[in-house]
């Protein structure tokens, strides 16, 4: 589960973080969530970026940093577990 939490805005931009849904420390905080399964390819990441660009709050997040970090990593094979 990939999410942005408004609580992270204290002292800086709202940070995107990844959590397994069962390990999410903020289940009642209503953060914006994107299933990681929707971000496995560069095309999916680009599609979500285009979607998020329509949100007025995107500039207050670290989405650019997040995609720069994660778009250069090798994708993990979901069948490898």
């Amino acid at each position: 589960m990939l999410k942005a939490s408004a609580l992270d805005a204290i002292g800086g931009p709202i940070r995107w973080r990844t959590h397994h849904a069962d390990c999410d420390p903020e289940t009642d905080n209503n953060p914006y969530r994107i299933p990681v399964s929707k971000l496995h390819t560069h095309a999916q990441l680009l599609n979500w970026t285009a979607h998020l660009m329509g949100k007025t709050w995107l500039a207050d997040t670290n989405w650019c940093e997040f995609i720069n970090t994660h778009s250069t990593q090798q994708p993990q094979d979901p069948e490898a577990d």
Side-chain angles (χ1 to χ4, degrees):
M1 185 71 58
L2 175 68
K3 67 181 191 169
S5 172
L7 291 177
D8 290 338
I10 300 170
I14 300 168
R15 301 195 54 81
W16 287 93
R17 301 178 296 168
T18 55
H19 291 287
H20 184 277
D22 292 339
C23 301
D24 186 351
E26 298 180 47
T27 57
D28 296 331
N29 195 26
N30 198 23
Y32 193 90
R33 291 180 168 91
I34 304 171
V36 172
S37 62
K38 305 281 187 189
L39 300 171
H40 281 300
T41 67
H42 286 113
Q44 289 174 319
L45 189 60
L46 182 60
N47 187 40
W48 269 101
T49 298
H51 171 78
L52 291 172
M53 288 173 70
K55 307 295 183 188
T56 58
W57 46 259
L58 183 62
D60 297 324
T61 74
N62 73 329
W63 184 251
C64 184
E65 175 187 335
F66 180 86
I67 60 171
N68 282 332
T69 299
H70 291 76
S71 66
T72 58
Q73 295 178 356
Q74 292 293 327
Q76 295 182 358
D77 181 357
E79 303 296 320
D81 292 333

